[in-house]
Amino acid sequence: MTTNQPFPSAAGILDASARIDRLFVNSPLVEQQTANTALGLRLFAKVETLNPIRSFKGRGTDWWLKNQPAGDSAIVSASAGNFGQGLAYAGRAQGRRVVIFSARTANPAKIEAMRRLGAEVFLEGDDFDQAKAAARAYAKTHGYSFVEDGALKEIAEGAGTIALEITERLGRDGVSLQAIVVPLGNGALLTGIGTWIRANAPGCEVIGVVAANAPAMKRSWESGRIISTETAATAADGIAVRECVPYALDCMKTTVDDVWETGETAIRQARDFCRLHYGLVVEEAGAAGIAGLLEHGKALAGANVATILCGANVRIDIA
């Protein structure tokens, strides 16, 4: 399946980097020798957990909304929590009503955070993809815009500003990057980063990481056709997708070199790795790049590698 939307561009990423809310850009790029030793490579970790929503999602949502016509019509989407927070934050800044659908099984702390930022949140379905179907139907019924994470170029371009910051910083330091390892859920982060890397660091390998229990995007990319799975039972809720996003798959064909999968044990170990080596609390999906390196990093032994610690909204049950 192919889509007719324009793909993300390096020019769009460059434009986004100058206009995105300053609270979300220029995040730290950190290196710890203990982490390098543990992995057998040189790792640069981009920390996207210190902004007001504690994830990278504010980049893409802010850039998307800045590119929309002014108006007061509601914006509808589905989210496991972080994308919804990004939309809520951007919507509040521009006076737009934001309606988010999440699964009944979603992280209660993320639900509370979206509501605290002003979003109306409805709980529908047993997983993210069922919530997305409910959101799409609601938007159609009411004539509202439906915003699908992974399916819009501005969202990918906003995420791609992370790669721009990485290459600019390493370029100043005289470091050549051999690989960048990126968590893969709906695909906006991976395709945005891949777009920038292809244009500005073509010798760098772009690698996505899915949870082995949620492999729809990996299987779709490998086969070149849309593949869905019956379940996506992973602790990494931010990448727990059963259904491939066609637009993201189209973008991945020209921006991604490989997709790894990682098991639940490695995902748990990655959270501990971030706490031990960086002193950071990172949620399971946010540490998926680390998990991929724990399982597959020997293939990059001795290389200069980057990854993104892309979320810190850990699961906390709220009464």
Side-chain angles (χ1 to χ4, degrees), residues 36-58:
N36 293 349
T37 301
L39 293 170
L41 46 80
R42 189 177 184 189
L43 182 65
F44 300 91
K46 189 74 160 148
V47 182
E48 290 289 304
T49 65
L50 305 176
N51 59 61
I53 63 171
R54 297 192 293 190
S55 87
F56 77 98
K57 297 288 189 178

Side-chain angles (χ1 to χ4, degrees), residues 1-305:
M1 179 177 181
T2 58
T3 57
N4 295 319
Q5 295 185 65
F7 285 171
S9 69
I13 292 168
L14 191 62
D15 192 13
S17 72
R19 295 177 55 199
I20 289 172
D21 190 322
R22 297 294 91 187
L23 289 170
F24 295 109
V25 299
N26 298 316
S27 55
L29 184 67
V30 300
E31 179 185 11
Q32 290 286 6
Q33 188 56 52
T34 58
N36 293 349
T37 301
L39 293 170
L41 46 80
R42 189 177 184 189
L43 182 65
F44 300 91
K46 189 74 160 148
V47 182
E48 290 289 304
T49 65
L50 305 176
N51 59 61
I53 63 171
R54 297 192 293 190
S55 87
F56 77 98
K57 297 288 189 178
R59 294 176 183 254
T61 51
D62 187 72
W63 183 233
W64 175 80
L65 195 51
K66 278 185 166 70
N67 280 275
Q68 301 312 300
D72 55 9
S73 177
I75 299 164
V76 180
S77 190
S79 175
N82 289 351
F83 183 75
Q85 287 183 66
L87 271 183
Y89 192 93
R92 185 175 67 177
Q94 298 197 33
R96 296 291 292 271
R97 178 186 170 210
V98 174
V99 180
I100 303 295
F101 282 73
S102 296
R104 289 186 290 267
T105 54
N107 181 341
K110 292 183 179 181
I111 299 301
E112 175 62 24
M114 288 189 287
R115 287 174 170 155
R116 188 169 61 246
L117 290 167
E120 300 172 43
V121 182
F122 296 96
L123 302 182
E124 295 282 349
D126 295 325
D127 62 23
F128 168 76
D129 289 288
Q130 289 183 8
K132 184 193 286 189
R136 199 186 299 273
Y138 179 90
K140 183 177 181 180
T141 297
H142 294 276
Y144 297 144
S145 297
F146 176 69
V147 184
E148 184 176 13
D149 190 11
L152 297 166
K153 80 178 187 71
E154 292 87 0
I155 293 171
E157 287 172 346
T161 60
I162 295 172
L164 179 154
E165 292 169 17
I166 291 172
T167 58
E168 286 190 344
R169 157 70 187 281
L170 294 182
R172 289 194 300 269
D173 294 345
V175 175
S176 177
L177 199 62
Q178 277 83 56
I180 187 164
V181 181
V182 184
L184 172 56
N186 286 313
L189 179 61
L190 179 62
T191 58
I193 283 176
T195 295
W196 181 261
I197 294 296
R198 281 288 185 266
N200 293 276
C204 176
E205 189 175 6
V206 178
I207 301 169
V209 180
V210 301
N213 286 358
M217 292 295 281
K218 174 179 168 64
R219 293 181 182 176
S220 298
W221 180 75
E222 289 175 340
S223 67
R225 59 189 179 85
I226 301 299
I227 293 179
S228 301
T229 59
E230 291 186 4
T231 62
T234 173
D237 63 322
I239 57 172
V241 298
R242 288 189 294 103
E243 298 179 2
C244 175
V245 178
Y247 176 76
L249 179 61
D250 279 352
C251 294
M252 286 171 63
K253 291 174 182 176
T254 57
T255 58
V256 177
D257 295 295
D258 201 359
V259 179
W260 294 342
E261 63 179 43
T262 185
E264 295 301 294
T265 297
I267 288 170
R268 289 192 298 271
Q269 290 172 340
R271 277 192 57 183
D272 294 339
F273 186 99
C274 292
R275 190 164 54 245
L276 174 64
H277 295 288
Y278 301 113
L280 293 172
V281 174
V282 180
E283 64 184 270
E284 289 87 350
I290 298 287
L293 288 168
L294 289 171
E295 284 202 67
H296 307 283
K298 289 182 179 179
L300 299 173
N304 297 327
V305 180

